[in-house]
Amino acid sequence: MSRPRSRLLLGALVAAAVLGTATSAIALGAALSPPSRGPVSAAASSEASHPPDPAGPPTPAASGRNGSGTTQPDEPTTIGPGAASPNPSTVAGDTPPDRGVPGATRAGTRPPVVDHGPRTGNRVALTFDADMTDSMLYSLRTGRVKSYANLRIVELLEREQLPATFFLTGKWVERYPELTRRLAGNPRFELANHTYGHQAFTGNCYDLPRVPSRNMTEDVAKTFRVIEPYGGRQTRYFRFPGLCHDGEALASLAPLGVTVVDGDVVSGDPFATAWQPIVRAVLDQVRPGSVVILHVTEANAAMTDEALPHILAGLRERGLVPATLSEVLVGS
């Protein structure tokens, strides 16, 4: 499926997320079902209230892909004396990342954007987003939903001794500290950053509420601070909600020394009403070096744990092996 079509389907899923009802899930069934021919692509979950603009999200300002799936800016943006930069107080207490940490880049330079690793070898990265918004927290408090933490996924990965990378929102970590500690304690799991409260970093991002420009740097820095005390395999990988980013959003991350990770295999697990379309979406798209986007948010991705064993079986049939994101991006 072409990337524009994938983006439109992403918008349909994202727009329904705020509803969180059986009606919205059923209405999305047709969108999540694969076409009669060609690969299926759907999308990462976000929260919004209306369908997206048919034009889809803004196109990232960066361009020019290399063989490893990295998008480099046309001209790197360096934050230096006299350049527009966040208020220093917004990143007070944050130290430049150790360049040995996976995903760490030179602080002060606009980060690269990565879709996948080298198309060699047999490794693929299974990544799981842990979204959490204020409305999701409200649903938990009011008993409207039971959980946004799918323990069955974690248990399966642990039982099979499989590596994975978890993109955590700060609010999810604060809501599930014990599970975060469990993830951090597994040497096969990596921890990455998915913003503090899953707000958009651009306009026209599926009606997600937007982080004010002046707060973008601090939003991501705060999430690193929330995750850091848990230890484990910390990274400097970051994923934007809705995969929406532009030049301003990327420049806001320059002080933090990160690598932005999108992904080339969008599973469509949010609000899927059956596991089969998720499996087809992944296996139709996956290739060596792929970065697969899944979700560990049980209430709005209820079929992911049922799909995962079939995804793993399909990977084995294709001779593909799950690996951490850092291993996949470095290459075999």
Side-chain angles (χ1 to χ4, degrees):
M1 179 177 292
S2 66
R3 191 161 186 121
R5 179 176 173 82
S6 177
R7 292 286 193 180
L8 288 175
L9 191 47
L10 170 58
L13 290 163
V14 168
V18 73
L19 300 177
T21 64
T23 300
S24 65
I26 293 170
L28 283 170
L32 288 167
S33 298
S36 58
R37 292 190 298 176
V40 177
S41 178
S45 169
S46 305
E47 289 214 347
S49 57
H50 301 290
D53 186 315
T59 301
S63 63
R65 305 204 176 272
N66 64 25
S68 64
T70 302
T71 301
Q72 296 290 352
D74 293 332
E75 293 184 6
T77 300
T78 300
I79 304 299
S85 62
N87 186 318
S89 65
T90 63
V91 290
D94 293 321
T95 57
D98 182 343
R99 293 297 294 275
V101 174
T105 58
R106 183 165 60 88
T109 301
R110 191 165 70 179
V113 180
V114 176
D115 280 334
H116 57 81
R119 298 301 193 184
T120 57
N122 64 347
R123 294 177 176 176
V124 298
L126 299 179
T127 69
F128 295 86
D129 290 359
D131 304 347
M132 186 61 74
T133 67
D134 287 339
S135 61
M136 291 166 73
L137 287 171
Y138 178 78
S139 294
L140 288 169
R141 286 195 302 270
T142 58
R144 203 175 148 202
V145 303
K146 182 179 179 181
S147 174
Y148 287 110
N150 196 326
L151 291 177
R152 289 181 295 276
I153 290 174
V154 178
E155 290 166 354
L156 173 59
L157 295 171
E158 290 173 339
R159 187 168 60 251
E160 300 293 330
Q161 300 185 8
L162 295 172
T165 302
F166 291 84
F167 281 85
L168 308 177
T169 54
K171 290 186 176 183
W172 190 92
V173 171
E174 291 170 347
R175 180 63 180 79
Y176 298 109
E178 290 304 318
L179 182 53
T180 303
R181 191 168 293 111
R182 179 173 172 177
L183 298 178
N186 189 321
R188 296 180 180 85
F189 294 163
E190 290 181 328
L191 307 183
N193 189 319
H194 195 38
T195 74
Y196 183 67
H198 209 259
Q199 292 181 301
F201 277 59
T202 71
N204 191 31
C205 185
Y206 313 122
D207 291 328
L208 282 170
R210 186 176 181 182
V211 179
S213 297
R214 65 183 180 279
N215 296 340
M216 289 179 178
T217 309
E218 171 58 14
D219 183 278
V220 180
K222 180 178 182 179
T223 307
F224 278 123
R225 293 196 299 270
V226 169
I227 298 172
E228 185 177 12
Y230 290 88
R233 298 182 65 172
Q234 303 270 331
T235 74
R236 299 298 284 193
Y237 295 126
F238 172 78
R239 177 172 286 155
F240 286 100
L243 308 184
C244 299
H245 47 81
D246 56 16
E248 180 185 33
L250 292 172
S252 74
L253 303 184
L256 303 178
V258 303
T259 295
V260 174
V261 179
D262 285 348
D264 65 320
V265 178
V266 188
S267 70
D269 58 344
F271 297 99
T273 57
W275 58 264
Q276 291 89 343
I278 303 171
V279 175
R280 287 194 295 267
V282 172
L283 298 183
D284 283 351
Q285 300 174 82
V286 72
R287 299 169 55 194
S290 281
V291 175
V292 182
I293 304 173
L294 295 157
H295 289 76
V296 71
T297 45
E298 182 177 11
N300 62 8
M303 297 291 113
T304 309
D305 59 275
E306 293 191 42
L308 188 54
H310 302 280
I311 291 171
L312 295 173
L315 294 178
R316 286 192 294 270
E317 290 174 0
R318 290 160 174 76
L320 298 174
V321 177
T324 60
L325 181 60
S326 60
E327 291 169 333
V328 169
L329 296 185
V330 168
S332 301

